[in-house]
Amino acid sequence: TMALTKISTEVIEDNAVHTEKLFDDVVNMSKVGTEFKTLSAITPASTVDVSFGTSNGASAFTLTPTSNTIINFTNVVPGINKYIVITGTGNSYTLGFTVGGGAGTFNKISGAYNDSSSMKNLLQVLCVGNSEFWYSISQIDT
């Protein structure tokens, strides 16, 4: 059988791609921005930035803290999720959160950070407003 590909027959005057010219369900992972399909290592510091935008954005991050750490969310976009796998060190380090370097609302759904040596923690964060987030922290089930 021959596969058919949908092609728009309309001429676009400015050679740009316009939303109304895209057919439903034709954008795949190879066409979306890196902020939706990239894993990025965070350099440990007392404050680390996690971008929700396209500038140095990733969908998932890894971090092994070297001190108590503030995770500062930048370029926030309501409706976007971020995931951070945080590996514990056994040093009783703590986590905190800011948005744009200031206070925000961080609604914990469940879980707690566990800094036991080599413990993997999954931090899942959903941005629901310019300074409001919902999050959970979980560990691998043993």
Side-chain angles (χ1 to χ4, degrees):
T1 62
M2 179 184 283
L4 298 176
T5 303
K6 294 179 183 178
I7 300 173
S8 175
T9 57
E10 297 180 41
V11 176
I12 300 172
E13 297 291 327
D14 60 6
N15 291 324
V17 175
H18 298 273
T19 302
E20 63 272 6
K21 304 295 183 198
L22 292 175
F23 290 103
D24 291 342
D25 303 319
V26 297
V27 177
N28 59 39
M29 288 305 289
S30 67
K31 300 297 181 188
V32 299
T34 58
E35 68 272 22
F36 297 107
K37 60 182 181 180
T38 304
L39 176 66
S40 180
I42 298 172
T43 302
S46 59
T47 299
V48 297
D49 289 339
V50 171
S51 175
F52 277 72
T54 58
S55 175
N56 297 319
S59 57
F61 299 85
T62 59
L63 171 65
T64 301
T66 56
S67 64
N68 293 335
T69 302
I70 299 295
I71 298 174
N72 180 50
F73 297 109
T74 63
N75 304 310
V76 297
V77 178
I80 298 296
N81 293 293
K82 292 296 173 180
Y83 307 93
I84 307 171
V85 176
I86 306 168
T87 303
T89 62
N91 291 304
S92 300
Y93 295 143
T94 60
L95 293 179
F97 306 103
T98 57
V99 56
T105 301
F106 298 92
N107 304 299
K108 183 168 78 168
I109 299 167
S110 65
Y113 175 62
N114 184 333
D115 192 46
S116 296
S117 182
S118 300
M119 177 64 70
K120 299 284 186 183
N121 296 266
L122 175 61
L123 171 64
Q124 301 175 84
V125 181
L126 170 63
C127 178
V128 297
N130 290 334
S131 62
E132 185 176 1
F133 305 83
W134 288 68
Y135 74 97
S136 64
I137 302 174
S138 53
Q139 292 79 31
I140 298 170
D141 190 17
T142 56

